[in-house]
Amino acid sequence: MPQLSAAQYGKDNIRVYKVHRDEKAGTQDVVEMTVCVLLQGEIETSYTEADNHNVVATDTMKQTTYIIAKQHPVNPPELFASILADHFTATYPHIHIASVKVKQHRWTRMTVDGQPHPHSFMRDGSETRNVEAVSSKADGLYVRSAIAGLLVLKSTGSAFHGFYRNEYTSLAEVQDRILSTEVDCGWKWNTFKTLKDVESTVPKFDEAWKNARQITLELFAKEESPSVQNTMYKMCEEILKLVPEVKAVDYSLPNKHYFEIGEQHRTRLRSLDCADILVDLSWHKGLKNTGKDAEVYAPQSDPNGLIQCTVSR
Ligand SMILES: O=c1[nH]c(=O)c2[nH]c(=O)[nH]c2[nH]1
């Protein structure tokens, strides 16, 4: 007899834009975000018996998102996501768990004629500030904040050697390589009992985001990295130190590679670190582009290393 063993449903990719007009100062602030709402609870018969009486329409979830955005602050995103998630579990007796994911996009104020412009912004990069809030009738509010899509590269100051070798290994030890990654860094807050507890933590959310971002960038830049693994572990340690309300920090870092192209160079490609492979141009009039003369590399999209960890207290 088949059984529905898990079910949730909701609205994804709800795009919301909110403007705040400061009439006195003559300036405006904008927030753009993409929201996903997913609900769980006593919804089984909608799947098994076509009984829709308990189905909160996904369109209702979208309309609710706009209404909550109108009536409440959308910043910090931790607060907005928690208010919205809490709304669903508080309003509907048969909804037991509501998950709200908010992805805030960057609109950075333009500087024009040396002054911050009152109402013009630019998208400076693919980085987003992400939050997931899960409101559970049984367990309270779980919140994870994150930085995603932050692209970074260092052209030296990274090595990778001393790794496991056997007959499947061709990678050479490397003392100096290019290191590039797209940062996905998350931090889980101690579970909040109620929405009030989230509200009283509001000043900490922006501060934690700033700290996590700064630690990530500074350690990435300053550290002589022996591996992605060790560098990300140090970042986790620093964030845990600076943000006592956080119980765990996680990173997911793809290793973006800089490869040589060209079938004739396959042997060379296999023998160097995958993240730092030179384009050998000696076939063209003896052009020197290897060793100390290396300047031109060939970035590759796949395959890539993927290094992940979670560090808890
Ligand atoms: O920092 C790294 N960690 C690895 O596990 C790894 N594996 C690899 O091929 N290059 C790298 N670099």
Side-chain angles (χ1 to χ4, degrees):
M1 180 63 177
Q3 265 193 347
L4 187 74
S5 46
Q8 60 177 347
Y9 76 105
K11 200 68 136 189
D12 197 5
N13 294 310
I14 307 167
R15 294 186 59 185
V16 184
Y17 165 93
K18 188 175 184 184
V19 63
H20 170 72
R21 301 182 187 91
D22 186 333
E23 305 290 355
K24 240 189 181 170
T27 59
Q28 303 196 350
D29 291 288
V30 300
V31 171
E32 183 175 341
M33 57 190 169
T34 306
V35 180
C36 174
V37 177
L38 288 168
L39 304 182
Q40 295 177 39
E42 292 156 47
I43 53 174
E44 186 175 335
T45 53
S46 69
Y47 291 84
T48 57
E49 293 169 31
D51 169 8
N52 286 343
H53 86 279
N54 260 355
V55 176
V56 178
T58 68
D59 189 71
T60 306
M61 298 180 204
K62 179 185 76 180
Q63 302 298 355
T64 306
T65 304
Y66 297 143
I67 293 165
I68 298 287
K70 172 72 183 174
Q71 294 176 331
H72 296 269
V74 291
N75 263 329
E78 286 86 351
L79 176 64
F80 176 72
S82 299
I83 292 172
L84 188 54
D86 181 73
H87 166 89
F88 289 108
T89 47
T91 304
Y92 303 98
H94 66 288
I95 297 300
H96 302 163
I97 296 176
S99 154
V100 172
K101 287 186 186 147
V102 170
K103 189 188 284 189
Q104 255 194 19
H105 306 282
R106 282 176 85 78
W107 281 125
T108 302
R109 192 175 296 282
M110 279 187 198
T111 300
V112 178
D113 297 331
Q115 299 294 324
H117 196 271
H119 56 253
S120 296
F121 306 86
M122 63 181 182
R123 176 68 44 88
D124 61 336
S126 54
E127 179 189 353
T128 55
R129 177 171 169 181
N130 297 357
V131 170
E132 181 179 17
V134 180
S135 170
S136 155
K137 279 193 169 119
D139 303 323
L141 270 153
Y142 152 101
V143 179
R144 177 183 179 268
S145 310
I147 292 163
L150 171 61
L151 271 169
V152 289
L153 178 147
K154 67 195 290 185
S155 50
T156 186
S158 166
F160 185 61
H161 47 81
F163 49 86
Y164 195 100
R165 301 202 79 88
N166 62 9
E167 71 271 29
Y168 297 100
T169 312
S170 73
L171 187 69
E173 313 270 311
V174 66
Q175 306 293 331
D176 182 15
R177 63 174 180 172
I178 297 164
L179 184 60
S180 180
T181 190
E182 185 175 327
V183 176
D184 187 331
C185 162
W187 50 101
K188 277 184 198 152
W189 297 84
N190 292 324
T191 306
F192 300 99
K193 279 206 185 85
T194 64
L195 186 57
K196 278 228 156 4
D197 298 329
V198 177
E199 281 163 356
S200 60
T201 310
V202 158
K204 307 266 163 84
F205 293 129
D206 282 355
E207 200 180 298
W209 175 79
K210 273 186 208 139
N211 280 329
R213 196 168 185 274
Q214 181 148 340
I215 287 164
T216 302
L217 293 176
E218 275 193 9
L219 262 172
F220 182 82
K222 286 183 181 168
E223 218 225 351
E224 286 293 322
S225 171
S227 65
V228 174
Q229 284 90 332
N230 185 247
T231 298
M232 75 206 295
Y233 182 78
K234 285 181 179 162
M235 291 171 177
C236 291
E237 275 187 322
E238 287 299 307
I239 294 172
L240 283 173
K241 240 189 258 168
L242 266 184
V243 194
E245 298 82 2
V246 154
K247 62 179 170 189
V249 180
D250 59 271
Y251 274 87
S252 178
L253 300 180
N255 200 356
K256 303 240 170 207
H257 302 312
Y258 288 75
F259 279 140
E260 172 187 6
I261 311 171
E263 214 42 58
Q264 71 271 37
H265 304 305
R266 284 285 174 242
T267 322
R268 182 155 185 78
L269 192 148
R270 265 186 254 115
S271 70
L272 286 165
D273 189 305
C274 57
D276 188 4
I277 290 176
L278 315 171
V279 184
D280 183 352
L281 297 173
S282 58
W283 58 272
H284 180 80
K285 302 176 186 174
L287 213 50
K288 288 183 181 155
N289 192 52
T290 57
K292 276 199 222 87
D293 301 307
E295 288 176 305
V296 175
Y297 297 78
Q300 297 280 292
S301 54
D302 51 66
N304 60 270
L306 181 60
I307 322 285
Q308 302 179 321
C309 78
T310 299
V311 181
S312 309
R313 283 191 198 284

